[in-house]
Amino acid sequence: MIDLRSDTVTKPGEEMREAAAAATVGDDVYGEDPTVNDLEARAAERVGTEAALYVPTGTMGNQIAARVHTERGQEVLADRKSHVVKYELGGLAQLAGLQVRMLDADPRGVPTPAEIDASYVAEDLHRPGTGLLCLENTHNARGGLAIAPEKIEAAADAAHARGVPVHVDGARIFNAATALDVPVTELTEPVDSVMFCLSKGLGAPVGSMLAGSAEFIDRARRVRKLFGGGMRQAGIVAAPGLRALENVPDLETDHENARLLADGLGEIDGLDVQEPETNIVLVDVSGLGLTSEDVLERFEGGGVRASAFGETTLRFCTHRCVSRDEIERAVELVSEEL
């Protein structure tokens, strides 16, 4: 089976397993796990922030950030297709008591300064006001789009001018930096906090990082405990995370494979393929007269897995555990099933 459902299906290599087995550990809730401490320091350095916090999942990282940045009842500005809106179980409301003002942002999912100004709500006797702007890079639901530094900066400047902090869901931000050929710090410098995943394209078995100022991370650590994310001898899972940081250069291979996949699928009648910018390929199957689920069932029967991303849209996601040869074979198998 060639599994292209997500880059979350990556499995740790032998070097990661060896690192986990040999990790020096301690109780992280007491701040005594040296491997976790090392990972947090290196992650902060990578994204150019004062500090970072190791969290079990990217969703938890996003939700912690929202809780720390805001007061209950405030509004969060976010693209209607963003992960925090579509795929986090209403956590902004459930965990932080926030309202979401969904923006129908431009096709790249980044609100313009004009949209931010128009959506901003000032605090007064009747309204709690706008408390946070959430951005996403890469933008998952819009096809893994790599959002350029100038777009991030423009949106962040508009929010900051209103006194509103900015958080970036950067689950795949290293994919964005790779695709744009810029240092990742160019994408993080304009914002107040960023979350990135170790367990997607970077290949770690578990874990994400939340980064920001030292004061922000101090408060985030407390909220992590509140949310049940205080782990003990976490160095066993943090050690593969350290190795994952070394895998950033490999992301370009995933992007090359995504382009190869898109080119191949684009030659098949009935498939309308969005040109990929990173490792995500969106495919409109409406030309087949079938639903996504119908098509997925056919593909899986032929040995290829993808994900439904709408009634007639599929998502394929390349990753380090699928080779170029397997990408070419996947195209052949899909063609045979159609």
Side-chain angles (χ1 to χ4, degrees):
M1 184 68 67
I2 301 173
D3 196 343
L4 295 165
R5 289 174 298 171
S6 176
D7 45 12
T8 60
V9 303
T10 53
K11 296 180 180 179
E14 193 59 37
E15 75 287 348
M16 285 190 178
R17 295 175 185 272
E18 291 173 358
T24 304
V25 301
D27 192 319
D28 181 51
V29 173
Y30 291 131
E32 295 175 354
D33 191 302
T35 306
V36 173
N37 293 343
D38 188 14
L39 174 60
E40 290 176 343
R42 292 197 199 183
E45 182 180 11
R46 278 294 187 96
V47 295
T49 62
E50 291 181 337
L53 179 69
Y54 185 47
V55 293
T57 70
T59 293
M60 181 181 281
N62 286 335
Q63 296 300 323
I64 291 172
R67 178 70 177 250
V68 172
H69 281 307
T70 61
E71 297 179 3
R72 299 235 172 198
Q74 287 186 316
E75 292 189 0
V76 178
L77 304 181
D79 175 48
R80 66 183 178 86
K81 289 188 176 183
S82 63
H83 194 278
V84 295
V85 171
K86 292 188 68 174
Y87 302 120
E88 298 190 10
L89 288 170
L92 295 172
Q94 295 199 68
L95 301 174
L98 301 173
Q99 306 175 78
V100 179
R101 184 175 290 265
M102 288 187 284
L103 305 180
D104 196 7
D106 73 11
R108 301 193 69 77
V110 185
T112 65
E115 288 171 325
I116 292 169
D117 287 343
S119 303
Y120 171 80
V121 175
E123 179 184 346
D124 61 23
L125 183 61
H126 304 284
R127 299 188 293 184
T130 301
L132 182 64
L133 170 64
C134 281
L135 304 175
E136 186 172 335
N137 200 9
T138 64
H139 199 300
N140 177 23
R142 293 184 182 271
L145 300 183
I147 310 304
E150 55 268 24
K151 279 189 169 286
I152 297 291
E153 185 175 15
D157 286 350
H160 290 154
R162 297 283 193 170
V164 176
V166 182
H167 171 68
V168 170
D169 172 358
R172 298 180 176 92
I173 200 164
F174 286 101
N175 289 88
T178 298
L180 296 166
D181 194 23
V182 299
V184 70
T185 50
E186 285 195 28
L187 302 174
T188 60
E189 192 279 330
V191 304
D192 300 282
S193 60
V194 60
M195 180 281 296
F196 69 87
C197 290
L198 300 167
S199 56
K200 290 187 167 68
L202 300 183
V206 65
S208 294
M209 306 304 304
L210 178 62
S213 69
E215 188 272 338
F216 169 82
I217 293 300
D218 282 345
R219 295 173 62 197
R221 193 174 300 277
R222 181 176 172 86
V223 175
R224 184 186 70 174
K225 188 68 166 69
L226 172 67
F227 287 176
M231 299 179 285
R232 299 299 176 174
Q233 287 71 38
I236 288 178
V237 285
L242 282 166
R243 293 300 182 99
L245 290 176
E246 300 173 7
N247 289 338
V248 171
D250 298 342
L251 296 177
E252 178 54 37
T253 299
D254 297 341
H255 298 179
E256 291 171 357
N257 284 338
R259 292 189 289 270
L260 179 66
L261 178 65
D263 289 344
L265 295 177
E267 296 295 320
I268 300 173
D269 289 343
L271 301 185
D272 185 9
V273 182
Q274 177 178 312
E275 185 69 23
E277 295 184 7
T278 55
N279 67 322
I280 292 174
V281 180
L282 295 187
V283 180
D284 182 350
V285 299
S286 58
L288 299 172
L290 300 170
T291 68
S292 298
E293 294 298 337
D294 292 335
V295 176
L296 286 178
E297 186 175 349
R298 289 191 183 187
F299 288 175
E300 186 151 351
V304 178
R305 282 183 167 176
S307 298
F309 237 49
E311 188 174 349
T312 59
T313 303
L314 303 182
R315 186 189 77 167
F316 295 80
C317 191
T318 58
H319 52 82
R320 62 188 299 106
C321 292
V322 177
S323 67
R324 180 184 179 90
D325 287 346
E326 287 172 310
I327 293 295
E328 293 174 343
R329 179 59 179 154
V331 172
E332 293 175 0
L333 292 172
V334 166
S335 181
E336 290 170 3
E337 293 302 316
L338 296 178

